[in-house]
Structure formats: structure tokens, C-alpha cells
Amino acid sequence: MNQPAQMTDNLELNIGQLYDIKGEYTKKATRIYSLMICKRRVKAIGYTWDDVLDKQRHRHLVDLRKVVCKYLYDKKWTYMSIGRLLKLNHATIIHHKNQFENLLGHDDELQNLWVKFKNS
């Protein structure tokens, strides 16, 4: 990955360095920020990040993973990058996001978790 160049005393040069045509630097900064918010919200609703990464399949932990997958996907993360973060296959991430969307209108526990997560 290319690191942004060091700032100089030349304003035009600095603007050129900060103007990222491909948007890679902006995407990376946005991803880092959205992950930081996600981790803070997970903690605010009473879980730890280790709970998200845990391999246990208790209902409340699976629902938490679904919420995290949906949130990160909405923040323009790819399935592959979410999978790498959560140490899951990208197909599992697709499944979690699709299940979340299918169940949100019918599952009260998932709805409550999503509302708590979004409001924290």
C-alpha cells in the first residue's frame, strides 16, 4: 500500500498529495473510521470485540456478527475485507448480511439489537 507523502511548505504540492485521484487514501481512512465506530458501538451495547470474533454459535453472538457485517457492508466494506477482519469466509459474510436483511422485519431480538447498535 502506498503511504501518503510527507507534507511540505509548498501549499500546491500538499494539495496535490492530499488529492487522491483513485480515492485509495480516502477509502482507507473511511474504513478505519467506520471500524472504530463499529467497535465503540459493540462495546456500548454490552459486548466485546472478542465476542464478535468468537467462534461460538450462540444466538446472541451470531446476531451480533450479523449486525456488524451489515453495518460494515453499508459503510462500503467489501465481503472479502469484512471476512478478513472477522476471520470468516466471504461467503459467510454474504450469508450473515442476507440473513440480517431477511430477518430484520420479523425477528424482534434482531430488531432490538440493531436499534441498540445504531443508537449507541
Side-chain angles (χ1 to χ4, degrees), residues 78-103:
T78 64
Y79 293 123
M80 291 293 286
S81 58
I82 298 169
R84 270 187 240 115
L85 175 70
L86 301 182
K87 299 177 182 132
L88 296 170
N89 186 293
H90 77 282
T92 305
I93 304 304
I94 294 170
H95 177 73
H96 279 324
K97 186 194 75 74
N98 290 340
Q99 284 296 103
F100 174 88
E101 291 171 350
N102 292 335
L103 293 173

Side-chain angles (χ1 to χ4, degrees), residues 4 22 40 56 61 66 100 110:
K22 292 182 180 177
R40 187 177 63 211
Q56 292 183 0
L61 296 178
K66 288 176 185 174
F100 174 88
L110 188 60

Side-chain angles (χ1 to χ4, degrees), residues 9-119:
D9 293 329
N10 184 324
L11 179 61
E12 288 79 17
L13 188 58
N14 289 340
I15 291 171
Q17 290 172 355
L18 295 175
Y19 183 73
D20 185 10
I21 289 180
K22 292 182 180 177
E24 295 300 321
Y25 182 74
T26 304
K27 285 181 200 172
K28 183 177 178 184
T30 304
R31 284 182 50 191
I32 291 169
Y33 182 69
S34 60
L35 178 59
M36 191 173 65
I37 290 173
C38 185
K39 286 183 176 183
R40 187 177 63 211
R41 288 180 175 183
V42 165
K43 185 176 180 182
I45 61 174
Y47 293 98
T48 65
W49 192 249
D50 288 337
D51 291 333
V52 175
L53 299 178
D54 196 349
K55 298 293 182 194
Q56 292 183 0
R57 296 183 345 192
H58 298 289
R59 162 101 193 257
H60 64 283
L61 296 178
V62 174
D63 283 350
L64 178 63
R65 282 184 217 110
K66 288 176 185 174
V67 165
V68 168
C69 289
K70 173 64 174 159
Y71 176 78
L72 292 176
Y73 184 78
D74 287 350
K75 296 299 178 182
K76 307 297 183 212
W77 282 58
T78 64
Y79 293 123
M80 291 293 286
S81 58
I82 298 169
R84 270 187 240 115
L85 175 70
L86 301 182
K87 299 177 182 132
L88 296 170
N89 186 293
H90 77 282
T92 305
I93 304 304
I94 294 170
H95 177 73
H96 279 324
K97 186 194 75 74
N98 290 340
Q99 284 296 103
F100 174 88
E101 291 171 350
N102 292 335
L103 293 173
L104 188 62
H106 310 288
D107 187 342
D108 292 336
E109 289 180 42
L110 188 60
Q111 279 181 340
N112 291 336
L113 184 63
W114 180 242
V115 169
K116 282 173 48 178
F117 181 83
K118 292 293 280 183
N119 292 331

